[in-house]
Amino acid sequence: MEFSAYDFIYDGISSEEFCLKIINIGDSTGVQSLNGGSGIELVEDKVRRVPTPYLYGVEKAPVLTFSLTFGVLQREPLDATDRRAISNAFFGKQNYKWLDILQEDLMDVRFRCILSNPRNVFISGAQYAFTCDVICDAPWGWSYNETYSYSLDSGYSEIVFNNTSDDNGYYYPKLRIKPSNVSNDFSIKNVTDGGREFKFSDLHPNGIEEISVDNAKKIITSTNGTNRLINFNNMWLRFRQGENTLQISGFGNLEITCMFPRRVGG
């Protein structure tokens, strides 16, 4: 992948701290290809002498990977102290970290990744750059966290939530619910998803408790330590791509937090 930007931030550390710039090393034609995250892999079976295979379905493409080269421009080459400091800052991470490429058309996209397999780049016997493989956690990049807040004062609300994910599968958001002590039940019915209803019953809230729900990981936590899974109907909230009509029953406050998949190519 080639970038028009020069600067990046990885794990909160700016390339500018080391006077590093992104360098594009390739052929002179400017032609490039990229796995943009839209690919799929076919799951199929073939029968002998039958020309048409049987298609069971498809699987998501492998995770997004690309090369990144960065180094010093118009200055002295890197010495041993520079190399050690840069390596400690950007390589050898034990978990995925956020990579931001400071490029205009990527300002709303970031990559959760590990910088792997670093190699030294030498010019005339002196090192001026590093190149590495960027291994992402998904077939795409991600939007920044977007949180939408709703005050539920009437006991019933209907909202239209726009799922702008670039993946055409279901998206499972994170929720934070602060039910008031006016009602014991709280539910969200997604009319667009066939009326699927996410519901808590018999909560007996005290007006202070906050319930957090990670629908993707199927985790529910409460600020007062109560096991709220026993009050839940196990219908985790999910969104279809595009606009979703939600019917919300209950009093209190609701926050919906999303980090949408963002494709960076085809």
Side-chain angles (χ1 to χ4, degrees):
M1 184 190 299
E2 291 192 1
F3 300 104
S4 62
Y6 287 112
D7 302 314
F8 67 91
I9 299 172
Y10 182 64
D11 192 20
I13 303 172
S14 172
S15 59
E16 293 183 328
E17 293 184 25
F18 301 94
C19 300
L20 298 171
K21 300 294 182 182
I22 297 174
I23 303 171
N24 292 316
I25 301 177
D27 61 39
S28 60
T29 65
V31 176
Q32 58 177 310
S33 62
L34 166 68
N35 168 24
S38 299
I40 56 175
E41 293 184 346
L42 304 183
V43 180
E44 58 184 13
D45 197 5
K46 294 183 178 180
V47 179
R48 187 168 178 261
R49 295 180 180 175
V50 177
T52 305
Y54 181 80
L55 180 65
Y56 293 105
V58 298
E59 293 182 347
K60 298 291 186 185
V63 297
L64 179 64
T65 61
F66 55 90
S67 296
L68 181 67
T69 301
F70 51 88
V72 291
L73 299 174
Q74 300 177 343
R75 54 154 283 184
E76 295 298 315
L78 301 171
D79 60 23
T81 301
D82 295 330
R83 292 195 295 269
R84 185 168 59 251
I86 294 168
S87 295
N88 289 337
F90 297 117
F91 304 127
K93 305 294 183 181
Q94 300 300 307
N95 294 294
Y96 291 112
K97 304 296 182 181
W98 287 113
L99 170 65
D100 299 91
I101 305 295
L102 305 185
Q103 182 171 308
E104 184 175 356
D105 61 350
L106 293 176
M107 295 307 290
D108 66 339
V109 181
R110 58 181 179 166
F111 305 94
R112 191 166 179 262
C113 60
I114 290 178
L115 304 188
S116 176
N117 191 25
R119 286 93 69 195
N120 301 329
V121 178
F122 290 88
I123 301 175
S124 300
Q127 184 179 353
Y128 283 85
F130 288 91
T131 188
C132 63
D133 300 323
V134 179
I135 312 296
C136 298
D137 69 335
W140 42 66
W142 299 97
S143 72
Y144 288 83
N145 272 335
E146 303 173 20
T147 298
Y148 306 86
S149 301
Y150 306 92
S151 181
L152 310 173
D153 300 322
S154 66
Y156 176 84
S157 302
E158 183 168 301
I159 64 173
V160 176
F161 188 91
N162 189 17
N163 170 19
T164 64
S165 167
D166 290 339
D167 179 35
N168 58 14
Y170 286 111
Y171 180 80
Y172 292 81
K174 292 182 179 180
L175 307 176
R176 188 168 69 172
I177 304 166
K178 186 177 181 180
S180 74
N181 54 12
V182 176
S183 173
N184 288 326
D185 298 340
F186 186 95
S187 68
I188 305 173
K189 180 182 290 186
N190 189 345
V191 178
T192 308
D193 191 18
R196 180 184 175 96
E197 187 175 32
F198 164 104
K199 186 174 183 179
F200 286 101
S201 302
D202 302 319
L203 286 173
H204 301 287
N206 57 14
I208 301 175
E209 176 189 15
E210 292 186 358
I211 301 171
S212 297
V213 182
D214 186 330
N215 287 281
K217 295 181 179 180
K218 297 179 171 54
I219 297 173
I220 299 175
T221 56
S222 169
T223 53
N224 65 12
T226 303
N227 177 14
R228 288 306 189 185
L229 190 59
I230 62 176
N231 303 104
F232 182 56
N233 68 348
N234 288 305
M235 299 293 284
W236 304 92
L237 183 64
R238 64 190 189 185
F239 296 142
R240 291 184 177 273
Q241 192 177 40
E243 293 186 345
N244 291 253
T245 299
L246 308 180
Q247 296 175 343
I248 307 172
S249 297
F251 294 85
N253 294 284
L254 169 67
E255 289 185 354
I256 302 176
T257 299
C258 299
M259 189 173 65
F260 294 119
R262 290 286 182 260
R263 301 193 191 280
V264 294

